[in-house]
Amino acid sequence: MAPKKLTHQVTLELTAGNAPVVDLGKMLGQTGVNLVEVKKAYDASTAAQRGDIVPVVVSVFEDRSFALRLKTPPTSFLIKKALGDKGSARPGHEVAGKLTKDQLREIAERKLPDLNTSDVEAAMRTIAGTARSMGVVVVD
């Protein structure tokens, strides 16, 4: 059996466990894929991470079937989540707060599958750089 021919591939950032059909429709409507089935598959796959933003790569094939590949939440989202209410800022304004080394390690370990390193220390440096660009200080 020949492999299926890929016709579309789209990366979406959706709310885990409750993907809005409107967002799916905007990006996948022209592909002819069954949006309800995509939503059900995504929601089932991300139910344990409910409330987080979980990016997904949706691959649509010639026969209108699809495959989902979940990614880890965006680094900025994880940093804001670790900061709690202190990390919330208005759009366009820097986030101010402090991350501990333990929080940094936790975020780095979660992001490791999507980073181009397998070293947790290198991943921590990458996450620390993102935190600095957001106005967040890393403390010991």
Side-chain angles (χ1 to χ4, degrees):
M1 186 169 139
K4 295 180 181 181
K5 184 178 177 195
L6 181 68
T7 59
H8 293 84
Q9 192 167 40
V10 180
T11 302
L12 303 168
E13 288 190 0
L14 303 169
T15 305
N18 190 19
V21 177
V22 174
D23 291 346
L24 290 171
K26 287 179 189 174
M27 297 301 290
L28 297 172
Q30 75 276 11
T31 65
V33 71
N34 185 334
L35 298 177
V36 174
E37 290 301 317
V38 173
K39 177 181 171 38
K40 284 181 185 176
Y42 178 81
D43 290 349
S45 299
T46 60
Q49 301 176 59
R50 188 172 289 277
D52 287 358
I53 301 296
V54 178
V56 61
V57 178
V58 182
S59 301
V60 180
F61 302 101
E62 199 170 43
D63 64 354
R64 295 189 180 157
S65 63
F66 64 91
L68 303 179
R69 183 171 54 89
L70 299 176
K71 300 176 90 178
T72 58
T75 304
S76 59
F77 174 82
L78 293 174
I79 291 170
K80 287 176 186 179
K81 186 176 176 184
L83 292 174
D85 290 336
K86 298 175 289 186
S88 59
R90 293 174 297 170
H93 292 80
E94 287 187 9
V95 174
K98 294 181 181 179
L99 270 182
T100 65
K101 290 280 188 187
D102 290 337
Q103 289 172 314
L104 192 67
R105 178 174 294 281
E106 187 178 311
I107 294 169
E109 288 171 351
R110 186 160 179 196
K111 286 293 295 180
L112 210 52
D114 284 348
L115 297 175
N116 60 358
T117 183
S118 58
D119 179 28
V120 175
E121 295 298 320
M124 287 174 65
R125 289 191 297 273
T126 301
I127 305 302
T130 302
R132 277 191 304 274
S133 73
M134 295 171 64
V136 175
V137 178
V138 178
V139 295
D140 289 329

